Short mmCIF file of all heavy atoms in Angstrom, two decimals:
data_model
loop_
_atom_site.label_atom_id
_atom_site.label_comp_id
_atom_site.label_asym_id
_atom_site.label_seq_id
_atom_site.Cartn_x
_atom_site.Cartn_y
_atom_site.Cartn_z
N GLU A 1 0.58 -11.21 -0.77
CA GLU A 1 0.04 -10.50 -1.90
C GLU A 1 -0.30 -9.16 -1.57
O GLU A 1 -0.08 -8.25 -2.45
CB GLU A 1 -1.22 -11.27 -2.42
CG GLU A 1 -1.80 -10.73 -3.66
CD GLU A 1 -3.04 -11.49 -4.25
OE1 GLU A 1 -3.36 -12.51 -3.59
OE2 GLU A 1 -3.59 -11.04 -5.25
N PHE A 2 -0.80 -8.87 -0.39
CA PHE A 2 -1.15 -7.48 0.02
C PHE A 2 0.13 -6.54 -0.02
O PHE A 2 0.02 -5.49 -0.54
CB PHE A 2 -1.80 -7.53 1.39
CG PHE A 2 -2.35 -6.20 1.81
CD1 PHE A 2 -3.20 -5.45 1.04
CD2 PHE A 2 -2.04 -5.65 3.09
CE1 PHE A 2 -3.73 -4.27 1.44
CE2 PHE A 2 -2.48 -4.52 3.51
CZ PHE A 2 -3.36 -3.76 2.72
N LYS A 3 1.17 -7.09 0.48
CA LYS A 3 2.40 -6.32 0.58
C LYS A 3 2.89 -5.94 -0.89
O LYS A 3 3.30 -4.80 -1.16
CB LYS A 3 3.50 -7.03 1.32
CG LYS A 3 3.35 -7.07 2.74
CD LYS A 3 4.53 -7.50 3.56
CE LYS A 3 4.85 -8.96 3.26
NZ LYS A 3 6.05 -9.47 4.01
N ARG A 4 2.78 -6.92 -1.79
CA ARG A 4 3.19 -6.63 -3.15
C ARG A 4 2.31 -5.64 -3.85
O ARG A 4 2.77 -4.74 -4.55
CB ARG A 4 3.13 -7.92 -4.02
CG ARG A 4 4.26 -8.93 -3.67
CD ARG A 4 4.49 -9.97 -4.82
NE ARG A 4 3.19 -10.79 -5.00
CZ ARG A 4 2.89 -11.89 -4.34
NH1 ARG A 4 3.67 -12.27 -3.33
NH2 ARG A 4 1.84 -12.57 -4.69
N ILE A 5 0.99 -5.72 -3.56
CA ILE A 5 0.13 -4.69 -4.11
C ILE A 5 0.44 -3.30 -3.67
O ILE A 5 0.52 -2.37 -4.55
CB ILE A 5 -1.36 -5.04 -3.66
CG1 ILE A 5 -1.90 -6.26 -4.42
CG2 ILE A 5 -2.28 -3.85 -3.86
CD1 ILE A 5 -3.24 -6.78 -3.94
N VAL A 6 0.69 -3.08 -2.41
CA VAL A 6 1.02 -1.80 -1.86
C VAL A 6 2.35 -1.28 -2.55
O VAL A 6 2.43 -0.13 -2.95
CB VAL A 6 1.14 -1.83 -0.35
CG1 VAL A 6 1.72 -0.43 0.19
CG2 VAL A 6 -0.20 -2.05 0.27
N ALA A 7 3.32 -2.17 -2.66
CA ALA A 7 4.63 -1.71 -3.24
C ALA A 7 4.35 -1.41 -4.66
O ALA A 7 4.92 -0.42 -5.25
CB ALA A 7 5.60 -2.91 -3.06
N ILE A 8 3.55 -2.20 -5.42
CA ILE A 8 3.42 -1.89 -6.82
C ILE A 8 2.67 -0.54 -7.05
O ILE A 8 2.96 0.22 -8.00
CB ILE A 8 2.74 -3.07 -7.54
CG1 ILE A 8 3.62 -4.29 -7.62
CG2 ILE A 8 2.24 -2.59 -8.95
CD1 ILE A 8 2.91 -5.59 -8.05
N ILE A 9 1.69 -0.27 -6.20
CA ILE A 9 0.95 0.96 -6.22
C ILE A 9 1.92 2.16 -6.04
O ILE A 9 1.91 3.14 -6.77
CB ILE A 9 -0.23 1.05 -5.29
CG1 ILE A 9 -1.32 0.07 -5.70
CG2 ILE A 9 -0.79 2.44 -5.18
CD1 ILE A 9 -2.49 -0.11 -4.67
N ARG A 10 2.78 1.98 -5.09
CA ARG A 10 3.80 3.09 -4.77
C ARG A 10 4.69 3.29 -5.99
O ARG A 10 4.92 4.42 -6.35
CB ARG A 10 4.62 2.68 -3.53
CG ARG A 10 5.86 3.52 -3.32
CD ARG A 10 5.54 5.05 -3.27
NE ARG A 10 4.71 5.41 -2.19
CZ ARG A 10 3.70 6.20 -2.32
NH1 ARG A 10 3.36 6.86 -3.46
NH2 ARG A 10 2.91 6.55 -1.24
N ILE A 11 5.10 2.20 -6.72
CA ILE A 11 5.88 2.34 -7.82
C ILE A 11 5.21 3.00 -9.01
O ILE A 11 5.68 3.89 -9.74
CB ILE A 11 6.48 1.01 -8.28
CG1 ILE A 11 7.53 0.47 -7.24
CG2 ILE A 11 7.11 1.07 -9.68
CD1 ILE A 11 7.90 -1.00 -7.47
N ALA A 12 3.84 2.65 -9.13
CA ALA A 12 3.11 3.06 -10.28
C ALA A 12 2.63 4.57 -10.18
O ALA A 12 2.58 5.27 -11.16
CB ALA A 12 1.86 2.20 -10.48
N VAL A 13 2.34 5.05 -8.91
CA VAL A 13 1.97 6.39 -8.69
C VAL A 13 2.81 6.98 -7.55
O VAL A 13 2.34 7.09 -6.40
CB VAL A 13 0.41 6.48 -8.45
CG1 VAL A 13 -0.35 6.42 -9.64
CG2 VAL A 13 -0.01 5.44 -7.49
N PRO A 14 4.10 7.32 -7.87
CA PRO A 14 5.03 7.74 -6.80
C PRO A 14 4.62 8.90 -5.94
O PRO A 14 4.99 8.95 -4.78
CB PRO A 14 6.28 8.14 -7.64
CG PRO A 14 6.12 7.44 -8.88
CD PRO A 14 4.66 7.37 -9.18
N PHE A 15 3.88 9.82 -6.50
CA PHE A 15 3.52 11.10 -5.76
C PHE A 15 2.19 11.03 -5.09
O PHE A 15 1.75 12.07 -4.55
CB PHE A 15 3.65 12.26 -6.76
CG PHE A 15 5.05 12.32 -7.32
CD1 PHE A 15 5.28 11.86 -8.72
CD2 PHE A 15 6.10 12.88 -6.70
CE1 PHE A 15 6.52 11.96 -9.22
CE2 PHE A 15 7.34 12.99 -7.20
CZ PHE A 15 7.56 12.49 -8.47
N THR A 16 1.46 9.90 -5.21
CA THR A 16 0.19 9.84 -4.53
C THR A 16 0.35 9.29 -3.15
O THR A 16 1.03 8.24 -2.87
CB THR A 16 -0.73 8.87 -5.41
OG1 THR A 16 -0.97 9.47 -6.66
CG2 THR A 16 -2.11 8.69 -4.69
N GLY A 17 -0.31 9.90 -2.11
CA GLY A 17 -0.26 9.29 -0.80
C GLY A 17 -0.97 7.96 -0.68
O GLY A 17 -2.00 7.79 -1.37
N ILE A 18 -0.38 7.09 0.09
CA ILE A 18 -1.02 5.82 0.31
C ILE A 18 -1.48 5.69 1.82
O ILE A 18 -0.64 5.92 2.72
CB ILE A 18 -0.18 4.62 -0.05
CG1 ILE A 18 0.22 4.70 -1.53
CG2 ILE A 18 -0.88 3.30 0.30
CD1 ILE A 18 1.14 3.56 -2.01
N ILE A 19 -2.73 5.42 2.03
CA ILE A 19 -3.34 5.40 3.40
C ILE A 19 -3.62 3.93 3.85
O ILE A 19 -4.23 3.19 3.03
CB ILE A 19 -4.66 6.22 3.38
CG1 ILE A 19 -4.38 7.73 2.96
CG2 ILE A 19 -5.30 6.16 4.75
CD1 ILE A 19 -5.66 8.49 2.91
N LEU A 20 -3.23 3.67 5.01
CA LEU A 20 -3.45 2.39 5.64
C LEU A 20 -4.17 2.55 6.97
O LEU A 20 -3.68 3.36 7.85
CB LEU A 20 -2.17 1.66 5.87
CG LEU A 20 -2.25 0.21 6.30
CD1 LEU A 20 -2.88 -0.69 5.17
CD2 LEU A 20 -0.83 -0.37 6.66
N SER A 21 -5.30 1.94 7.14
CA SER A 21 -6.12 2.16 8.38
C SER A 21 -5.81 1.07 9.44
O SER A 21 -4.96 0.23 9.27
CB SER A 21 -7.62 2.06 8.07
OG SER A 21 -7.95 0.69 7.79
N THR A 22 -6.51 1.20 10.56
CA THR A 22 -6.29 0.20 11.68
C THR A 22 -7.07 -1.08 11.35
O THR A 22 -7.11 -1.94 12.24
CB THR A 22 -6.79 0.74 13.02
OG1 THR A 22 -8.05 1.37 12.79
CG2 THR A 22 -5.86 1.90 13.55
N ARG A 23 -7.58 -1.30 10.17
CA ARG A 23 -8.01 -2.61 9.74
C ARG A 23 -6.88 -3.63 9.80
O ARG A 23 -6.99 -4.77 10.15
CB ARG A 23 -8.49 -2.57 8.23
CG ARG A 23 -9.80 -1.97 8.02
CD ARG A 23 -10.07 -1.97 6.52
NE ARG A 23 -11.32 -1.27 6.18
CZ ARG A 23 -12.46 -1.86 5.87
NH1 ARG A 23 -12.50 -3.18 5.94
NH2 ARG A 23 -13.54 -1.22 5.53
N GLU A 24 -5.56 -3.03 9.56
CA GLU A 24 -4.44 -3.96 9.54
C GLU A 24 -3.82 -4.10 10.91
O GLU A 24 -3.84 -3.06 11.68
CB GLU A 24 -3.39 -3.45 8.49
CG GLU A 24 -3.92 -3.47 7.09
CD GLU A 24 -4.28 -4.88 6.62
OE1 GLU A 24 -3.62 -5.87 7.08
OE2 GLU A 24 -5.21 -5.08 5.70
N SER A 25 -3.15 -5.14 11.13
CA SER A 25 -2.44 -5.38 12.36
C SER A 25 -1.27 -4.40 12.56
O SER A 25 -0.68 -3.81 11.58
CB SER A 25 -1.93 -6.83 12.50
OG SER A 25 -0.85 -7.03 11.54
N GLU A 26 -0.74 -4.32 13.81
CA GLU A 26 0.37 -3.50 14.11
C GLU A 26 1.54 -3.94 13.27
O GLU A 26 2.34 -3.16 12.74
CB GLU A 26 0.62 -3.63 15.62
CG GLU A 26 1.87 -3.23 16.15
CD GLU A 26 1.90 -3.48 17.72
OE1 GLU A 26 0.89 -3.63 18.31
OE2 GLU A 26 3.01 -3.46 18.13
#
């Protein structure tokens, strides 16, 4: 679900940077 969310955000706001922290695994 998390992967789908990130992909949909990218599609919805193409020119906005998306930040991912070290909360997530390698």
Side-chain angles (χ1 to χ4, degrees):
E1 183 175 359
F2 187 50
K3 287 193 291 186
R4 288 199 300 275
I5 285 171
V6 173
I8 290 168
I9 291 173
R10 170 51 64 223
I11 292 170
V13 282
F15 302 99
T16 298
I18 298 180
I19 300 175
L20 189 66
S21 76
T22 48
R23 285 176 184 260
E24 296 299 330
S25 68
E26 167 180 342

